Amino acid sequence: MTLGFLSCGISRADFLEQEAPRLEKWLNKNYHGQMAYMENHFDKRLDPRLLVDGAKSVVSLLLNYYPSEIQNPASYKISKYAYGEDYHFVIKEKLKQLLQFIQEEIGEVNGRVFVDSAPVLDKAWAAKSGLGWIGKNANLITQKVGSFYFIAELIIDLELEYDLPTTDHCGTCTACIDACPTQAIIQPYVVDGSKCISYFTIELKDNLPQEMKGQFNDWVFGCDVCQEVCPWNRFAKPHQEPLFEPKAELLQFSKRDWQELTKETFNKVFKNSAVKRTKFEGLMRNIDFVKE
């Protein structure tokens, strides 16, 4: 059965002891801004056994989204992960197939699939199971393919062989810290989410703060800067997932096309896309903000 995942790692489903104080400190400093949902289910975020009865294993999977073609470089930019169909639906379908396959092969296995939509610390689990290390930009990085991939989990009540974490290969590099347009990476491995362009353009529902004017570098949905400058991403290879292919119009849009975007075109180009999260009005707010 070929589902197209890059790699898979397995960890024992128990309490994430090292993450608990880190998450608490991050929340106490309000680095989550208006993402109030980050404060919810604190215990569940740290213990998968509270999410799945009898959980024994966390199976972490990576799915590549690095595109073969990128947008017109003279245009406004959206994160590469949002070029095609919304990854939540694409990956959830794959995970359900994987769980079904396990159940057919092994018998009664109870489990749940998770794709960035429940209180699960994806990167912590992926790192724990040896799929990569959490870099200075707080993204999961691997030596072979960099960081342009989604992380998903299958939490099941089946005892499996567990993988070991890998080592950190950021070394003395500070490329991501130096390049962040809004200085959101306040120290190695710590990101103030409330200063991140992704937060401003996707999560923040209020008006964008005027002091950030001129700092978005033409990003109108998300931001890939800390990944683009990461030396490990020179090993990124294009994905093979047809559903992640962008609509042709998206790659060709000029700044004028973005500025004159109608709701009708928005619905057509971003049908089933993660960009729908901002809604049409939110995207236009972002475009107006970065307009010169």
Side-chain angles (χ1 to χ4, degrees), residues 60-73:
S60 294
L61 299 129
L62 305 181
L63 187 69
N64 184 15
Y65 65 78
Y66 190 73
S68 52
E69 285 183 90
I70 60 163
Q71 291 174 266
N72 169 2

Side-chain angles (χ1 to χ4, degrees), residues 43-54:
D43 295 343
K44 285 182 180 174
R45 276 180 204 283
L46 298 162
D47 195 338
R49 294 167 301 186
L50 300 175
L51 289 166
V52 175
D53 286 343

Side-chain angles (χ1 to χ4, degrees), residues 69-80:
E69 285 183 90
I70 60 163
Q71 291 174 266
N72 169 2
S75 189
Y76 298 127
K77 296 175 280 195
I78 70 168
S79 270
K80 294 175 181 63

